[in-house]
Structures are given as C-alpha cells and as structure tokens.
Amino acid sequence: MKLIEGGVTAAQGFSASGIHCGIRRNTSKNDLSLIVSSTPASAAAVYTTNLVKGAPLTVTKAHIADGKAQAIICNSGNANTCNADGIEIAEGMAALVAEKTAVNASDVVVASTGVIGQPLSLDPIRNGMDELVGKLSESGSRDAALGIMTTDTVPKEVAVEFTLGGKTCRIGGIAKGSGMIHPNMATMLVFITTDCAIAPDLLQKALSGDIQNTFNMISIDGDTSTNDMVVVLANGLAGNAEINAEGEDFTAFMQALNTVTVGLCRMIAGDGEGATKLLECQVSGAKTLDTAKTVAKSVICSSLLKAAMFGADANWGRVLCAIGYSGADVDVNKIDVSFRSNKGTITVCENGAGIAFSEEKAKEILLEKEIEILVALNDGEYDSTAWGCDLTYDYVKINGDYRT
Amino acid sequence: MKLIEGGVTAAQGFSASGIHCGIRRNTSKNDLSLIVSSTPASAAAVYTTNLVKGAPLTVTKAHIADGKAQAIICNSGNANTCNADGIEIAEGMAALVAEKTAVNASDVVVASTGVIGQPLSLDPIRNGMDELVGKLSESGSRDAALGIMTTDTVPKEVAVEFTLGGKTCRIGGIAKGSGMIHPNMATMLVFITTDCAIAPDLLQKALSGDIQNTFNMISIDGDTSTNDMVVVLANGLAGNAEINAEGEDFTAFMQALNTVTVGLCRMIAGDGEGATKLLECQVSGAKTLDTAKTVAKSVICSSLLKAAMFGADANWGRVLCAIGYSGADVDVNKIDVSFRSNKGTITVCENGAGIAFSEEKAKEILLEKEIEILVALNDGEYDSTAWGCDLTYDYVKINGDYRT
C-alpha cells in the first residue's frame, strides 16, 4: 500500500468539481461540490446520532437504502437543518443532479454543512448546476474539497493505492471538519471513493467497523453535529474479484480504508477551529478496549488540557484528572504519563504521582505542532488512540459570531 | 426567610479567618482559611466522583465518619493531589489545628485546591497557624472566602435567616469555583455552616438531595475536579428542636439550604474562569426529571453555545444541536427556544424550527451579563435549571499557563 495524490478522484471512474454558486456571501469561497462515478457504485454510510438531524441525512438514507449510489452533491454555508422545507430542498438538490447528468435522483447522496435553522434556497444551486457539472474532472478532488469547507483552513484529501488479487485498487477521500466535531457513530462530512469491487453489505461492515477507531475518536469541541456523515462509494472499476465475504481481501481493504480515514482524522483534528496543534492521545495497557477508548477520548476532550497544550504547559495533573472523571475502570496508582513530539519524549508522571522533570525540556517538546500524550495504564493489553486539538483564542473568536 | 450578610459566619457560634501563609508566591492573595464552631457540630459532606481524589478528601471522609466535626481548614495554591505523602500532609494540617485550638484533630475537615501533583509543604501552614487562629472572628467569613480562591475573581458568600418552631436559624456558606468545574455527585469547594439543630443523617440527606439540583447542575468547562467537596456543619446553637425526621422543619431547612446553594451556584457559574456572562438554562415540559436535567446540562456545556453567548450571537441552532446529542428522550419537533435577560425575552425557535426574529433585539438581550436560555420541550411536566458561563479568550489565557 502506498499514499498517492488525487483524493476523492484518485480511484478510477470518479470525477469531481466545486464552485461558488452564491449560498455564501464570500465569493472567494467554494460552496457547492459534486462527485460522480461513471458507473453505479456500492454505497455505505454512517450518520450522526444527534436526534436533531439535517434533512439531507434523511434523503441520503433513503437513496442508499438499496446499497447503491452514483453521485454526491454537497453544499456549505447552510446546514439545511431545522427548516420546515428541508426534505423538499434536499430532494430538489438530488433532482438537479439527475437533470444535468446521467445519474438517477435516487442514486444521489445529498449533504449540507453550515448554519442551522436558516432556510436554504435552491436558486443558487440551480443556477450553478451547469458550471458545476461542466467542471467535473478526474483531477477535481481539490475543488470539491474546497467546496465542502466551513471554517476549515485547509482542504483535506487522502488517497492510497493497494493491490487485490493482482489488481491495483485505490481508495481516496475528502473531509470537512473544524467545529461541532465530536462524532458519535458517524461524523462530520467525509466522502470516500474506491474503484475496488466490494458488495454493499461488506462495504458497510468495513465502514461501520473502521469509524469506531477513527472518526469516532476525534473531538474538537465536544459538540456532536446534526449533519455528520461519512459516505463511501465503491464502483468496482479496479477489476478485482468482488469482495463479498470476510477474508484476506476484506482485511486488505480495511487496512487501506483505515489509512485513508486515519489520515483524514489527523487532518480534521489538526485543523480544528482555531487550533494551533494536533493532539494525539495514545492509551496503552487498558483492561478492555472500551476502557482504552474512554480514557483516550476523555483526555482529548478536556478543555483544561487543551488550553494547557495551547500554552505548551506540561500540566499533567489535568491528564490524570480527565482519566479520573472519564468513568473508565482504571487503577490510578499504576498510570504513567509522557509527552512526545519531534523534539523528544518526556515522562512527567509515574504510578499516578508526579516525578521530577525538566520544565525546559517539556516546554521545548510541547511547543511543536503535533503532540502525543502517552498514557500507560499498565493494567491490561488494550490500546486506543484519539485525536483532538488545542483550545485557543481563535476558537472563541470564530464561534463568538459564526453566523455573521 | 431572608437573605442576610455574614456568609459562613452568619450562624451563631461560627468564626473564621483567612491569611497569606506562603503557599502562593503572590503575597497579596490569601492562601489559608479556617472555620471553627464553638461547639462540636453535626457534619455532612459530598465529594467528587473523580477516581483521582485529593488526599484531603480521604482524610475528611475519615474525620466526619462519625457525623461530627468542629473545624474546617483549607489552603489554596496546591491541591495536595497525586502526591505520595498527601495523606500525611492532610493529617498534619488537621493536627496543626488541634494544636492551636480546642478542636480534636479527628473533628477537623481538611480541604485543598490548586495545582495537582506538586508536593505541599506543611512549613508555611505551621508558620501561619498562630496568625490564622489569632484572626478567627465572627465577621471573618470574607477573609476565609478569599483564602480558598484560586482563579476566582470575587469571593462567594451567601447567608439566610429563617425560623423553626419560633427559633431564629441561619445558614451561610462560602465557595470557590472558577475552573475544572463540572461537578458530579459533589462539587468544587463549598463550606456551609448553620446554627440549626439537625441530626447528622438528616443533614446528609438534605445536602445529598440538594446538590442534585444545585451544584451538580453547574458546568464551567466540563472538567470534574479531583478535589471537589461540599461540607455542612450544623452546631445547633439556634436552639430549635433538633430535626431528626423528615417533616415540616426538614422542609423548611431544605428550602433555606437551597437558597444558599443556588446563590452560591450562580456566583460560581457567573465567575467561571474568564467568564463575562452567567448563563442559566431553564428547561420546562420534560417527560421526566432526568430528561429535563440532561437537556439543561447539555445546553450549558456546549462550547459552541458558550462561545456564541460570549459574542451575543443568537445562534439557537447550537441549543437544538446540544439537545439533540444529549441522549435525552425528546421530540425535536415540539421544542421552543427563547433567550431572556433584563432587556426582555425573544423567541427564536418554535416546534423545532427557526422563526423570524429581530437580530437587533436579540443582540440587545444577549449583551446583558445574565442570560436565561429558555427551552420548552412541550412534552411533559418536569423542569430543571442548569448554570454555566460563556467561553472567552480569557478562559484560554488563564488555562494556557496556569502553573506559572
């Protein structure tokens, strides 16, 4: 397996585009994206568990109920959530794609992200459709990645190439993250494409399994969005023997998928609203997998620790505090904590108590852009990793007046 | 019942003091407080549920196991948590009180607040004891309230007077809040005194019941501290017939206690780290009490909503989002949301969807210092209130480098 360029259009048969159609007032920002497969594809998706669900999710669920889809349309700038006409608008978006392409409306995945509770007009989308479809290109991933961004500062694309039974397969994806990121069962917006042949139920199994250890292990701010979804389309153009059971090929597919999703997770966490640092909490030696995950996520969610990381302050007491209130079954007196970055590793707590360490060295390590928080529970054999970011002035600034 | 001055020394027979003894480097801040009852008192307490617990909590639990206590010593600047010699130091603090007063060491409640994982020396406390005891005064509540503060910006005192069987009783308390405030079963540091005669088991019952609707309904930052505790001492000097069963007197006591605790809750929330606003979320019409509480707390904990309130932005979608991910059993399509302050009330969402409203009026309402977020679930008869504060640049600043 190797990393390749191309994001969501790396796989054969996928084209994409992104434009500014006028949903956003800022004309320099794309606000509408389209991804199309040249042939119908197996489709799988996971969605937010928030009881308040964006209308596009309801429409998407219905459209991929048959395990098939062929296109994804997504706008930013408006979440189309808590609107009385939401379903109608989301269906309207799918119909517009069907009108201008060879794709059936019922094979269109619809997604929206942005402000909740403001009516979304179809007009700018209708007016932009010719340009959007006209720009579809096998190198259009970047434009599409730009079109789904809200407060993201960088587009997020990852792709890998791997082989199945001698056939070269590709999986690539794009994502938007930034704020209201604390996925639960599903997550933010992530669109993944592959030319691998895989049956819809196995594709769903791969996706549902993967997100437990990837997107569901990110938190930017503890807020679970109303519009989160991850969608995978697999069009089979790689020509591999279709994966329709677990086994070697399924495992290879899962590994490739995981490389893409972990890459996107790190990009989403590192580009959290206002973030200056990517935080990765690696928990080892837990009694159960649940314990490992609960501890990792509690640490990554602590506002106090996040603020300390912004200040490059080795305040490990906040790591222990977050473990202590996580609800996980741990023996506090066995816990070791270290911080690691490109500048080295420093252990700051052993057996649940502080040890002497160089504040100077700790500061040097914590001033880096990617920080690993290593928590050894020394109590079992399970590991887990969670991703997050620091809490900064800019998070407050961005969210103090998001709507205007 | 009426509000009176005097805080933790409002009740008969209680004296208090606070000094700077040298635990903190900043000599202008008190760092050691003492509260003493002239006679042994009924005692009740609740503690943090964090698995990482400060050593003072262990010592306090043992000392009030018999339902009696007579003094409270508390230092700020150091939490005496995650220290190998923590218990020994906490017992040492109790012994120092016993040495200089008529109180037995085993009747001393010990509390500490501040940085976790740094050794606490008994030396400054020992050196300060003569001054601390010498300053004990029946008007010493304010000094004691100052001595338990960490990043609090104002001391927090409340007291009330009420009558039981013709006898005048008083309950008063002091608190420290600010950061790492998301109590669970117990909370921050709160010391309450009363001259009411009440049996220890009834006192514990009153306290344990009250905190479910008061301190456990506050969140500043979602972090549950390692050192939270609420302690009540009741010395009986009011001369009322001892409350030793539920009934009219117990109810009157509960009401007076609740007035003190709600007062302290509002002070703690409004003075959260970096806060510019007190937020109060009032949920009505819930199917169950649990639902009401879950919704209220989820709204008050949302980083996104907190940041919006800082910016006086009526971003009600974040209220609905926080309700949706709370896990509470609600019908989204029945929810109404309004914002209220001294400047009036504005409804922004009805039946789960946005309605037209004046952004100008909303801004005027939200620019006030105390904001009520009214959530009508229209689905039952249970209500709940939670308290919090906005998320500001200063929260990040304070916590970016708390230790130095």
Side-chain angles (χ1 to χ4, degrees):
Chain A
M1 185 176 13
K2 65 173 184 186
L3 286 167
I4 58 173
E5 297 294 310
V8 82
T9 49
Q12 287 182 69
F14 286 96
S15 57
S17 62
I19 64 166
H20 174 83
C21 73
I23 297 167
R24 293 175 176 285
R25 276 165 284 188
N26 181 343
T27 55
S28 69
K29 281 193 169 181
N30 279 6
D31 55 14
L32 190 62
S33 296
L34 183 63
I35 302 164
V36 178
S37 169
S38 59
T39 60
S42 293
V46 286
Y47 310 91
T48 185
T49 54
N50 198 313
L51 287 185
V52 179
K53 281 186 179 39
L57 280 71
T58 305
V59 170
T60 294
K61 260 189 200 176
H63 286 193
I64 69 169
D66 61 354
K68 294 282 170 188
Q70 195 173 350
I72 300 171
I73 184 167
C74 177
N75 72 279
S76 58
N78 188 313
N80 190 18
T81 299
C82 298
N83 293 330
D85 64 352
I87 300 287
E88 186 186 326
I89 296 293
E91 288 286 12
M93 288 169 67
L96 286 171
V97 173
E99 225 171 75
K100 301 288 181 184
T101 67
V103 178
N104 292 327
S106 64
D107 285 330
V108 179
V109 166
V110 182
S112 297
T113 178
V115 184
I116 296 171
Q118 289 187 358
L120 172 63
S121 166
L122 269 186
D123 294 343
I125 301 172
R126 183 181 296 113
N127 297 338
M129 279 311 293
D130 281 334
E131 185 189 356
L132 187 69
V133 172
K135 285 194 169 165
L136 277 171
S137 149
E138 289 182 3
S139 57
S141 177
R142 175 58 57 108
D143 285 343
L146 288 166
I148 65 173
M149 285 164 56
T150 54
T151 50
D152 303 62
T153 67
V154 291
K156 299 169 183 71
E157 305 173 88
V158 177
V160 297
E161 192 172 282
F162 62 110
T163 55
L164 283 182
K167 300 290 183 182
T168 300
C169 301
R170 297 161 204 88
I171 301 185
I174 59 173
K176 70 107 355 196
S178 232
M180 208 177 267
I181 301 291
H182 180 89
N184 185 11
M185 293 300 291
T187 177
M188 65 288 303
L189 292 180
V190 180
F191 304 128
I192 299 171
T193 57
T194 177
D195 44 24
C196 181
I198 178 167
D201 57 333
L202 271 290
L203 187 60
Q204 185 68 51
K205 183 167 201 154
L207 179 63
S208 297
D210 183 76
I211 61 150
Q212 305 301 339
N213 302 311
T214 56
F215 299 113
N216 280 2
M217 295 304 288
I218 307 179
S219 185
I220 302 297
D221 51 13
D223 280 273
T224 301
S225 159
T226 54
N227 285 46
D228 289 346
M229 68 168 104
V230 185
V231 179
V232 190
L233 301 186
N235 67 9
L237 292 182
N240 61 300
E242 191 187 61
I243 301 170
N244 46 33
E246 293 191 55
E248 202 176 313
D249 284 3
F250 183 72
T251 302
F253 180 80
M254 283 287 283
Q255 280 170 355
L257 178 65
N258 188 252
T259 302
V260 171
T261 56
V262 167
L264 292 172
C265 279
R266 290 176 55 93
M267 286 179 181
I268 289 169
D271 191 35
E273 277 179 339
T276 68
K277 286 178 201 300
L278 166 66
L279 306 181
E280 179 171 301
C281 179
Q282 297 175 17
V283 173
S284 63
K287 223 179 269 185
T288 67
L289 180 60
D290 257 10
T291 300
K293 292 175 78 165
T294 301
V295 167
K297 204 142 178 197
S298 186
V299 169
I300 225 71
C301 286
S302 162
S303 291
L304 286 167
L305 179 67
K306 287 153 64 79
M309 291 297 99
F310 173 57
D313 179 13
N315 198 332
W316 61 268
R318 293 178 179 173
V319 176
L320 248 69
C321 179
I323 297 170
Y325 66 64
S326 68
D329 177 19
V330 298
D331 181 343
V332 172
N333 299 315
K334 289 183 180 172
I335 301 174
D336 303 334
V337 178
S338 306
F339 295 107
R340 183 163 72 193
S341 76
N342 286 333
K343 296 291 185 187
T345 305
I346 192 161
T347 299
V348 289
C349 165
E350 281 180 358
N351 302 315
I355 59 171
F357 64 89
S358 159
E359 290 280 353
E360 199 181 344
K361 179 69 186 166
K363 181 68 90 179
E364 189 194 351
I365 288 169
L366 294 178
L367 281 170
E368 290 296 290
K369 292 285 175 208
E370 298 193 0
I371 307 295
E372 294 166 38
I373 302 152
L374 311 177
V375 175
L377 297 176
N378 297 310
D379 201 27
E381 296 188 347
Y382 290 88
D383 301 346
S384 181
T385 299
W387 297 273
C389 60
D390 54 346
L391 175 62
T392 71
Y393 302 133
D394 280 351
Y395 178 86
V396 179
K397 188 173 179 187
I398 291 164
N399 289 300
D401 203 1
Y402 176 66
R403 296 184 312 153
T404 55
Chain B
M1 185 176 13
K2 63 173 184 187
L3 286 167
I4 57 171
E5 297 293 310
V8 81
T9 48
Q12 287 183 69
F14 286 95
S15 57
S17 61
I19 63 165
H20 173 83
C21 74
I23 296 167
R24 291 176 176 285
R25 276 165 285 186
N26 181 344
T27 55
S28 69
K29 280 192 168 182
N30 279 5
D31 55 14
L32 190 63
S33 296
L34 184 62
I35 302 164
V36 178
S37 170
S38 60
T39 60
S42 293
V46 286
Y47 309 91
T48 185
T49 54
N50 198 313
L51 288 184
V52 180
K53 279 185 179 42
L57 280 71
T58 306
V59 170
T60 294
K61 260 188 199 176
H63 287 191
I64 69 168
D66 62 353
K68 294 284 171 187
Q70 194 172 352
I72 300 171
I73 185 167
C74 177
N75 72 279
S76 58
N78 187 312
N80 191 18
T81 299
C82 297
N83 293 329
D85 64 351
I87 301 286
E88 185 186 326
I89 296 293
E91 288 286 12
M93 288 170 67
L96 286 171
V97 173
E99 225 171 72
K100 300 289 182 182
T101 67
V103 178
N104 292 327
S106 64
D107 284 332
V108 178
V109 166
V110 182
S112 297
T113 179
V115 184
I116 297 170
Q118 289 187 357
L120 172 62
S121 165
L122 269 187
D123 294 344
I125 302 172
R126 184 182 294 112
N127 297 337
M129 280 311 291
D130 280 335
E131 185 189 356
L132 188 69
V133 172
K135 283 192 169 167
L136 279 171
S137 147
E138 288 180 5
S139 58
S141 176
R142 175 57 58 107
D143 285 342
L146 288 165
I148 66 174
M149 284 164 58
T150 54
T151 50
D152 304 61
T153 66
V154 290
K156 299 170 182 71
E157 305 173 88
V158 177
V160 297
E161 193 172 281
F162 62 110
T163 54
L164 283 182
K167 300 290 184 181
T168 300
C169 299
R170 295 161 206 90
I171 300 184
I174 59 174
K176 70 99 8 188
S178 231
M180 209 177 266
I181 301 291
H182 181 88
N184 185 12
M185 295 299 292
T187 178
M188 65 289 303
L189 292 180
V190 180
F191 304 128
I192 299 171
T193 58
T194 177
D195 44 25
C196 182
I198 180 167
D201 58 333
L202 271 292
L203 186 61
Q204 184 69 52
K205 183 167 202 154
L207 178 63
S208 297
D210 183 76
I211 61 150
Q212 305 301 338
N213 301 312
T214 56
F215 299 113
N216 280 2
M217 294 304 289
I218 307 178
S219 186
I220 301 297
D221 51 14
D223 281 274
T224 301
S225 159
T226 54
N227 284 47
D228 289 346
M229 68 167 105
V230 184
V231 179
V232 189
L233 301 186
N235 67 10
L237 293 181
N240 62 299
E242 190 187 61
I243 301 169
N244 46 34
E246 292 192 55
E248 202 177 313
D249 284 4
F250 183 71
T251 302
F253 180 78
M254 283 287 283
Q255 281 170 355
L257 177 65
N258 188 252
T259 302
V260 171
T261 55
V262 168
L264 292 172
C265 280
R266 290 175 56 93
M267 287 180 182
I268 289 169
D271 191 33
E273 278 178 339
T276 69
K277 286 179 199 302
L278 166 66
L279 306 182
E280 180 171 298
C281 179
Q282 297 175 16
V283 173
S284 62
K287 223 179 268 185
T288 66
L289 180 59
D290 258 10
T291 300
K293 292 174 77 166
T294 301
V295 167
K297 205 143 177 195
S298 187
V299 170
I300 225 70
C301 287
S302 161
S303 291
L304 285 167
L305 179 68
K306 288 153 64 78
M309 292 297 100
F310 174 57
D313 180 14
N315 198 331
W316 60 269
R318 293 178 179 172
V319 176
L320 248 68
C321 179
I323 297 169
Y325 65 65
S326 69
D329 177 19
V330 299
D331 181 342
V332 173
N333 299 314
K334 290 182 179 171
I335 301 174
D336 302 334
V337 178
S338 305
F339 295 108
R340 183 164 71 193
S341 75
N342 285 334
K343 295 290 185 187
T345 305
I346 192 160
T347 299
V348 290
C349 166
E350 281 179 357
N351 301 316
I355 59 171
F357 64 90
S358 158
E359 290 280 354
E360 198 182 345
K361 179 69 185 168
K363 181 69 89 178
E364 188 193 351
I365 288 169
L366 295 178
L367 282 171
E368 291 295 289
K369 293 284 174 209
E370 298 193 1
I371 308 295
E372 293 167 39
I373 302 152
L374 311 177
V375 175
L377 298 176
N378 297 309
D379 202 27
E381 297 189 345
Y382 290 88
D383 300 346
S384 182
T385 299
W387 298 272
C389 60
D390 52 347
L391 176 61
T392 71
Y393 302 133
D394 280 352
Y395 178 85
V396 179
K397 187 172 179 188
I398 291 165
N399 289 301
D401 202 2
Y402 176 67
R403 296 184 310 152
T404 54

